[in-house]
Amino acid sequence: MLDKSRVYIAPSILSADFSCLGEEIRDVERCGADLIHIDVMDGHFVPNITIGPSVIKSIRKISRLPFDVHLMIKEPEKYIDEFVDAGSDIITVHEESTIHLHRALQKIREASKIFPQERTHRVFNNVLCGISLNPHRPLCSIKEIINDIDLLLIMTVNPGFGGQEFIERMFRKVQEAGIQLKRKNTLLEVDGGVNDKNAKKLIKSGVNILVAGSFIFSSKNRRNAINSLRG
Ligand code: DX5
Ligand code: ZN
């Protein structure tokens, strides 16, 4: 399980070379990655289409790192079983992606029992469930279910693409989330435009998981890139 007092670096494979995805994952694992961040997009919730459960199932065989699966899809509750069965360790759904957000979280918890760890080869015994907030969504929108989640993911770019610029105004939301979650076990994750310039301030704000795609995968020295994010 993840320790709230630590900082984890999660390379986003959206920026990897998909023609040799397995080798790219092995490489960031060798270079010190803590988690593998997997962006799932459906062309409806976001204007891009990426990968689904079958790809996750096949890369599950080549990595022992926890898989952090970021669902940017409409009505994610319909697909939770497939993503848990494929070997996800963390599943995050977007707050506005479903009318029944609480039910989606329940499905993630239930699926952990239906698809046990041995069958799925996931790293964690129970799949962690998270909610993601788009840049325009306030923290208070999840006030009623904040105690039902293991992780809060704050988007610091608009979801859909790698390589975008960090939205500076998001610092305030991240700082506020850091304060609100300080005494809870809930992990705080930030995704979008993360690099060695903003990582330190994010960690100081209480962030536990830093997702970085283009910064790590486009770096000539990925080990240095990962280390430079640790603050
Ligand atoms: C964006 C994705 C991110 C993206 C981050 O929709 O959720 O995970 O891959 O990429 P960078 O770090 O390049 O902004
Ligand atoms: Zn992501």
Side-chain angles (χ1 to χ4, degrees):
M1 279 295 158
L2 300 176
D3 176 352
K4 174 93 175 146
S5 64
R6 271 199 55 190
V7 172
Y8 298 90
I9 309 298
S12 161
I13 59 168
L14 188 60
S15 293
D17 179 349
F18 275 62
S19 70
C20 50
L21 186 56
E23 198 31 58
E24 291 277 80
I25 291 170
R26 283 198 187 96
D27 188 52
V28 287
E29 191 163 344
R30 275 193 299 265
C31 290
D34 301 302
L35 307 167
I36 298 295
H37 184 85
I38 303 171
D39 290 306
V40 176
M41 306 185 187
D42 66 350
H44 289 276
F45 183 69
V46 288
N48 197 1
I49 300 174
T50 55
I51 60 170
S54 56
V55 173
I56 297 177
K57 198 167 211 154
S58 76
I59 57 176
R60 182 70 285 176
K61 294 186 211 121
I62 59 110
S63 176
R64 285 311 296 152
L65 289 182
F67 280 1
D68 174 26
V69 176
H70 179 190
L71 296 184
M72 286 160 274
I73 62 176
K74 273 195 179 160
E75 300 183 354
E77 63 274 20
K78 288 185 181 165
Y79 306 95
I80 298 295
D81 285 356
E82 280 92 332
F83 283 103
V84 172
D85 189 29
S88 308
D89 291 285
I90 302 171
I91 295 185
T92 299
V93 296
H94 271 257
E95 180 244 341
E96 334 85 311
S97 64
T98 174
I99 299 169
H100 300 288
L101 188 56
H102 187 264
R103 180 176 291 150
L105 299 174
Q106 275 178 329
K107 278 216 85 170
I108 298 171
R109 297 214 188 276
E110 281 160 19
S112 298
K113 294 177 208 131
I114 303 167
F115 303 97
Q117 189 180 14
E118 315 76 71
R119 166 173 166 168
T120 64
H121 306 289
R122 65 176 181 260
V123 180
F124 299 155
N125 187 17
N126 292 312
V127 180
L128 304 187
C129 65
I131 292 180
S132 178
L133 291 181
N134 269 337
H136 74 288
R137 299 298 295 156
L139 280 178
C140 64
S141 62
I142 53 161
K143 185 170 168 260
E144 300 301 330
I145 51 172
I146 192 100
N147 292 326
D148 296 314
I149 57 174
D150 301 302
L151 178 148
L152 172 63
L153 190 167
I154 295 186
M155 288 306 300
T156 42
V157 297
N158 283 300
F161 304 94
Q164 302 179 80
E165 204 171 312
F166 187 94
I167 303 170
E168 290 288 320
R169 266 181 300 133
M170 292 302 114
F171 269 124
R172 208 184 50 83
K173 193 179 357 180
V174 173
Q175 281 158 350
E176 200 182 316
I179 293 165
Q180 281 189 27
L181 301 181
K182 200 169 183 168
R183 277 177 194 81
K184 297 184 195 289
N185 265 333
T186 320
L187 297 153
L188 181 58
E189 178 170 18
V190 162
D191 184 6
V194 172
N195 57 36
D196 56 349
K197 309 268 179 313
N198 51 33
K200 206 173 243 152
K201 192 165 166 189
L202 291 168
I203 293 169
K204 230 175 145 195
S205 308
V207 174
N208 308 105
I209 305 174
L210 288 171
V211 176
S214 52
F215 177 72
I216 293 173
F217 281 99
S218 67
S219 165
K220 284 207 176 69
N221 188 330
R222 290 174 176 173
R223 184 178 294 276
N224 282 356
I226 289 172
N227 281 337
S228 72
L229 296 177
R230 295 194 191 278

